[in-house]
Amino acid sequence: MTRVIKSIDVSGVNLDIYEGPIGVSCSGGADSSILLYNLMKHCEDKIYIFSTGNNQRSRHNVEVATKVVERCIQLTGNSNIEHHISYCEVQSSETLFPKLRPYIDNGVIKMLYTGITENPPTNISDNFKLKITEAKRNPGVIKPFIVNGVAYTPWTNVDKRSIAKMYNEENLLEDLYSITRSCEYDPTSDYFEKIEDPGLGHCGECWWCEEREWAFGRLI
């Protein structure tokens, strides 16, 4: 098992800094961006950053993730990173993890961080317009922090309101949160037929936009 170098309290949530080099999946969303910021702030080893653009959503996530990485370099002064970008038609665990696996299997990175969070309470999410959730984020289930010994999910048992607290306490709402993007607008879905494509912005209609607005009280 990779050893923990130090543990950081991030607004009441524990974040272990593992011996590196480490990897982090960065989508450009609020959750993975604040995770990346903290890793770049506190990790002294090299960080490999992985972002995947998918054609289904016009690859907007990669454009935003690139801005997030640049901003985190500016905020932390840490440039000991490599940002790896890949593309696929539709992003899923089946398309993402085969691209990451060689870095793990070949010992390039010792631990992979992901910023996955818990769903909002069901009395909140049940009122969202788009009736869809991510099954692995169901609330009320204590999920393991270490997955298969190689993936670490430090935010997995807190919802996005805890993430909002992190941005507030680090005074990053304007400098970092404002450039992140959580929207999952999908032009191939019938649901979005009458909604204008937000481009790099937020549609304000999808499940993920409503989750973000619930947590932060604002989209940007």
Side-chain angles (χ1 to χ4, degrees):
M1 184 69 179
T2 304
R3 69 188 181 99
V4 175
I5 301 298
K6 56 186 172 181
S7 295
I8 308 300
D9 183 296
V10 185
S11 301
V13 180
N14 183 72
L15 174 62
D16 289 334
I17 306 298
Y18 282 88
E19 180 181 20
I22 60 173
V24 56
S25 176
C26 180
S27 66
D31 307 336
S32 63
S33 296
I34 195 66
L35 176 59
L36 175 63
Y37 166 82
N38 278 285
L39 291 174
M40 290 179 64
K41 183 177 179 180
H42 296 288
C43 180
E44 297 179 2
D45 293 316
K46 188 166 188 174
I47 301 173
Y48 290 81
I49 305 166
F50 301 96
S51 301
T52 301
N54 67 86
N55 294 333
Q56 183 185 23
R57 297 190 175 95
S58 306
R59 302 169 301 285
H60 291 325
N61 48 334
V62 159
E63 295 181 71
V64 174
T66 300
K67 293 179 181 180
V68 165
V69 171
E70 289 294 331
R71 183 60 55 85
C72 285
I73 292 172
Q74 295 169 8
L75 291 169
T76 66
N78 183 358
S79 59
N80 189 21
I81 59 102
E82 282 188 21
H83 190 194
H84 295 263
I85 297 173
S86 59
Y87 297 93
C88 62
E89 187 59 35
V90 179
Q91 186 167 321
S92 67
S93 58
E94 287 74 23
T95 58
L96 177 62
F97 286 104
K99 299 176 187 301
L100 302 180
R101 195 78 220 186
Y103 290 89
I104 297 170
D105 291 345
N106 296 327
V108 178
I109 61 174
K110 297 182 179 180
M111 185 63 74
L112 173 68
Y113 289 72
T114 74
I116 190 170
T117 55
E118 184 179 78
N119 283 338
T122 54
N123 67 308
I124 299 296
S125 59
D126 283 351
N127 292 316
F128 291 171
K129 297 170 187 174
L130 189 58
K131 303 305 179 186
I132 182 172
T133 63
E134 297 172 80
K136 294 181 180 179
R137 299 176 63 203
N138 284 342
V141 179
I142 301 300
K143 294 172 282 294
F145 291 109
I146 302 296
V147 182
N148 298 328
V150 295
Y152 177 38
T153 59
W155 309 154
T156 195
N157 290 309
V158 298
D159 62 35
K160 218 176 214 76
R161 283 208 164 164
S162 292
I163 302 300
K165 184 179 178 183
M166 296 174 191
Y167 279 92
N168 273 296
E169 292 191 356
E170 286 285 336
N171 294 315
L172 291 173
L173 283 172
E174 305 308 323
D175 288 339
L176 183 57
Y177 173 73
S178 63
I179 66 168
T180 66
R181 181 178 186 270
S182 303
C183 183
E184 292 289 335
Y185 177 88
D186 176 5
T188 69
S189 169
D190 292 343
Y191 178 83
F192 295 104
E193 281 184 348
K194 298 181 180 179
I195 301 171
E196 184 178 351
D197 186 342
L200 294 179
H202 289 81
C203 72
E205 295 281 339
C206 71
W207 193 94
W208 296 269
C209 278
E210 293 207 82
E211 178 194 31
R212 180 179 171 107
E213 195 158 25
W214 163 76
F216 287 88
R218 54 188 262 195
L219 283 174
I220 59 174

